[in-house]
Amino acid sequence: DQQVKQNSPSLSVQEGRISILNCDYTNSMFDYFLWYKKYPAEGPTFLISISSIKDKNEDGRFTVFLNKSAKHLSLHIVPSQPGDSAVYFCAASEGGRTSGTYKYIFGTGTRLKVLA
Amino acid sequence: DSGVTQTPKHLITATGQRVTLRCSPRSGDLSVYWYQQSLDQGLQFLIQYYNGEERAKGNILERFSAQQFPDLHSELNLSSLELGDSALYFCASRSPGSSTEAFFGQGTRLTVV
């Protein structure tokens, strides 16, 4: 059972335009969501996160939106740059605040290609 | 550089063999996570340790085991290897503070032939 889903395996966007990566989840107990970026032959790199008590978090060109009623989150990259070309993973965790155990469940990733 | 070190970077071994993957977490991090990424798949959570104790278990096969040592480094042991075990194995660590993100190592690419 895939609790975190990224239904778009790939996305191509023109340089300077907005990239929107989507993620859906099924577990309403998830209380923290994260986005990671992964280049080939490297480990995933943390990008941005959002708590379930918020609906938006912004960090420079990156903004994450959370819609709890729809169990959906999205990552917006504006403006997109060729260096943003990578695989983006959405992840979710639950129970960390109470148990101290942050178990991260990852989606399958979306390969973003930013065209120059 | 995330500060998480994994060795070896590459490993080629035969079916039926046993291997050990090693992970050194960032300085001060008490939690260590192990993930498996098979070809074109997402990151599958295997197991988490916190300060030497197992805290959470995911889809880890019985042929696989892990431990975290007093110096906080961790080892993932894979035995009776099968072709399907070929994958990237990532280790991640997280600090005990309020930050909730985990930092990943560069991974160990295991090829079973």
Side-chain angles (χ1 to χ4, degrees), chain B residues 17 40 53 91 99:
Chain B
Q17 294 298 304
D40 291 336
E53 293 186 1
C91 166
S99 144

Side-chain angles (χ1 to χ4, degrees), chain B residues 3 9 19 37 39 42 51 53 61 68 73 79 81 85 88-89 91 97 99 101-102:
Chain B
K9 285 191 168 47
V19 297
Q37 186 185 22
L39 191 63
N51 202 20
E53 293 186 1
L61 300 172
Q68 186 179 27
H73 91 271
S79 61
L81 284 167
D85 297 327
L88 269 168
Y89 291 85
C91 166
S99 144
E101 64 268 23

Side-chain angles (χ1 to χ4, degrees), chain A:
Chain A
D1 178 29
Q2 192 75 19
Q3 296 187 69
V4 179
K5 300 178 187 179
Q6 293 177 258
N7 293 317
S8 298
S10 63
L11 175 70
S12 289
V13 170
Q14 209 63 35
E15 181 181 7
R17 305 296 291 267
I18 183 171
S19 294
I20 300 176
L21 296 100
N22 294 304
C23 178
D24 297 298
Y25 62 94
T26 57
N27 187 345
S28 57
M29 299 301 292
F30 286 145
D31 57 5
Y32 219 86
F33 303 89
L34 309 93
W35 285 94
Y36 281 82
K37 178 168 73 172
K38 186 181 180 302
Y39 293 117
E42 294 184 12
T45 303
F46 170 72
L47 202 54
I48 192 170
S49 62
I50 187 167
S51 163
S52 61
I53 61 174
K54 296 188 176 181
D55 55 18
K56 177 182 173 181
N57 188 26
E58 194 171 351
D59 184 1
R61 297 185 298 113
F62 303 92
T63 303
V64 56
F65 295 92
L66 176 62
N67 182 334
K68 279 196 299 184
S69 60
K71 294 193 179 70
H72 176 85
L73 67 155
S74 60
L75 174 68
H76 292 209
I77 307 173
V78 184
S80 302
Q81 299 173 354
D84 295 330
S85 297
V87 176
Y88 288 78
F89 289 97
C90 164
S93 71
E94 64 168 299
R97 287 192 189 85
T98 52
S99 69
T101 297
Y102 290 87
K103 185 171 118 177
Y104 304 93
I105 306 298
F106 281 79
T108 51
T110 296
R111 185 177 303 276
L112 173 66
K113 190 170 184 179
V114 180
L115 307 168

Side-chain angles (χ1 to χ4, degrees), chain B residues 46-80:
Chain B
L46 295 178
I47 198 163
Q48 180 210 358
Y49 279 83
Y50 179 85
N51 202 20
E53 293 186 1
E54 182 185 306
R55 271 294 179 94
K57 222 166 183 175
N59 299 324
I60 187 166
L61 300 172
E62 283 192 17
R63 300 183 285 109
F64 296 1
S65 65
Q67 52 184 327
Q68 186 179 27
F69 295 87
D71 66 352
L72 301 177
H73 91 271
S74 177
E75 292 181 356
L76 179 67
N77 300 296
L78 315 176
S79 61
S80 303

